[in-house]
Amino acid sequence: MSLVPTRLLQSGRRPLSPGSRAGLGAALVLLAIVSAVEAADGRKVHYVALLAAAPVLAAALASWLVVLGVGVAAILIGTGFALVAPKVSLVTSVDVVAVALTTGMAVAVAWVRQRQAERIVELTKLASVAQQAVLRPLGPQVGTLSVAGRYISSTATAEIGGDLYEAIDTPYGVRMIIGDVRGKGLDAVRLASIVLGSYRHVAYERADLRAVVADLDRAVARNVGDEDFVTAALVEERGGTLTIVNCGHPPPLLLRRGAVIPLEPPAPAPPLGFMPVVRPRVERLEPGDRLLLFTDGLGEARRDGEFFPTADRAWRLLGHGTVADGLASLETALVEWVHGRLDDDIALVLMEYVGARTGAAVAVPSWEVGAAES
């Protein structure tokens, strides 16, 4: 009789999930124990009602088909014990009917639970697709830079939030943005998509990063409440010159010859949405320099009140291999530090400057002030 669940599942031709295997195994063990106790008690029937626990146990973990198979097995076992008894009593008949009714309820519960689980899986896949649409994969090469991006979610059930990044090759050089929307949930995702959509347009149109900031500020102001905002750092690399404007965001870290240098802005500026007036910081890059852009989830990651030592460990973690290898090492060290419990999502972008192109002049748009005469 224990083969009934297997036969019912053969029509699907699908391997059992770990949960279904666990539920089926536990239910079969229970059926075997009840059957052994009933058989050892003699020909009188006393424990048939306990068989109803088997489909209930299976319903907690297994699919509805497995639960149905277990329930049918329990009904057949109970009916078998009732038929071999000297007399089929009313109590025994009621017990077998109770097993059948319990099986029906357990199947219904398992079906609802399975549908909910499938819905969660579907929503998770949709969230992953939405994240890929909002946060497009970066690199491995953007213009003359090696670039990699990474998004670390604070929850296992959600893969998207209000952190954002982008790197694009424009007529003004490679331009990057990293930002963090205040708040969480769908509203944060919506605002992040608005910022990125605006940035992907204006980064090609504005020669000055301050003009890009002004356009993004207007886009944010049109779409948020009075207390909502977006912190952001915008970076431009052109011919080895690095220009950074910062709108209330954690300063990028420059990794150079074993040293880690926070690139603080010349003057503080408020986030997007509060009409920031930014002052650019300009640095001259050297071949081999790496730049880490990150959101404040990295700075707030801690265990037992101690924050993750980003600056102290940045070079050892990020200065080896490719930029993608560096971000993978940073994520591993970070997750280990917090024991897998993050309070906020984290967006990371790591770029490496390998040097200017040899034998090629830096392209200058004809409409830019100071361009060579044609």
Side-chain angles (χ1 to χ4, degrees):
M1 293 181 182
S2 63
L3 296 177
V4 173
T6 304
R7 290 174 179 170
L8 285 174
L9 291 172
Q10 284 179 346
S11 60
R13 300 295 182 187
R14 293 181 179 178
L16 294 180
S17 66
S20 291
R21 288 197 296 269
L24 177 60
L28 292 180
V29 169
L30 181 59
L31 288 178
I33 292 174
V34 174
S35 299
V37 172
E38 186 66 74
D41 193 51
R43 298 185 64 187
K44 291 186 178 180
V45 179
H46 296 101
Y47 304 106
V48 165
L50 296 177
L51 295 171
V56 174
L57 179 61
L61 297 171
S63 66
W64 71 268
L65 275 175
V66 172
V67 176
L68 177 60
V70 170
V72 170
I75 294 170
L76 293 178
I77 292 173
T79 302
F81 279 116
L83 293 178
V84 299
K87 181 181 179 182
V88 179
S89 65
L90 177 62
V91 174
T92 302
S93 301
V94 171
D95 287 345
V96 174
V97 172
V99 172
L101 293 176
T102 303
T103 296
M105 290 186 290
V107 169
V109 169
W111 182 81
V112 172
R113 180 186 54 76
Q114 186 175 345
R115 287 295 300 271
Q116 291 176 339
E118 292 172 351
R119 181 63 175 167
I120 291 174
V121 171
E122 182 181 355
L123 291 175
T124 301
K125 291 180 179 179
L126 288 175
S128 179
V129 172
Q131 183 185 37
Q132 293 175 10
V134 175
L135 297 179
R136 299 182 300 197
L138 298 185
Q141 197 77 18
V142 181
T144 59
L145 300 179
S146 297
V147 181
R150 209 168 186 92
Y151 193 99
I152 307 173
S153 177
S154 59
T155 61
T157 56
E159 298 183 359
I160 188 169
D163 292 15
L164 58 99
Y165 56 73
E166 181 61 289
I168 51 181
D169 189 10
T170 75
Y172 308 102
V174 176
R175 286 180 165 177
M176 293 176 283
I177 184 174
I178 190 160
D180 190 356
V181 176
R182 178 184 179 274
K184 296 181 181 292
L186 292 178
D187 288 340
V189 176
R190 180 185 63 84
L191 184 52
S193 66
I194 290 172
V195 173
L196 284 175
S198 299
Y199 176 76
R200 287 163 181 159
H201 173 71
V202 300
Y204 288 96
E205 303 297 327
R206 304 298 187 190
D208 193 323
L209 283 180
R210 289 170 293 188
V212 175
V213 169
D215 287 344
L216 294 180
D217 177 69
R218 287 191 291 270
V220 171
R222 287 193 296 265
N223 291 279
V224 299
D226 294 336
E227 298 181 357
D228 296 326
F229 56 84
V230 181
T231 67
L234 286 75
V235 176
E236 176 186 289
E237 184 281 323
R238 181 172 184 172
T241 298
L242 187 71
T243 305
I244 305 171
V245 293
N246 197 313
C247 305
H249 199 77
L253 299 180
L254 177 64
L255 286 68
R256 173 179 291 169
R257 299 193 301 270
V260 179
I261 307 167
L263 299 183
E264 300 280 356
L272 298 174
F274 293 123
M275 295 183 291
V277 178
V278 295
R279 289 180 57 190
R281 174 165 181 164
V282 180
E283 296 283 337
R284 188 65 187 175
L285 291 175
E286 299 177 4
D289 282 353
R290 290 189 174 187
L291 186 73
L292 175 66
L293 310 175
F294 58 94
T295 53
D296 59 6
L298 178 61
E300 296 172 357
R302 59 188 179 270
R303 67 178 183 193
D304 302 327
E306 184 178 2
F307 290 97
F308 181 74
T310 303
D312 293 339
R313 301 182 64 180
W315 178 259
R316 294 195 300 272
L317 295 171
L318 299 170
H320 69 91
T322 66
V323 287
D325 294 335
L327 289 186
S329 296
L330 176 60
E331 179 179 359
T332 300
L334 177 65
V335 172
E336 181 181 355
W337 177 271
V338 299
H339 303 301
R341 295 188 296 271
L342 290 170
D343 296 327
D344 196 6
D345 293 355
I346 301 172
L348 304 169
V349 176
L350 183 63
M351 57 144 275
E352 179 178 5
Y353 176 67
V354 296
R357 292 172 179 168
T358 58
V362 179
V364 178
S366 58
W367 58 84
E368 183 179 354
V369 175
E373 295 292 338
S374 57

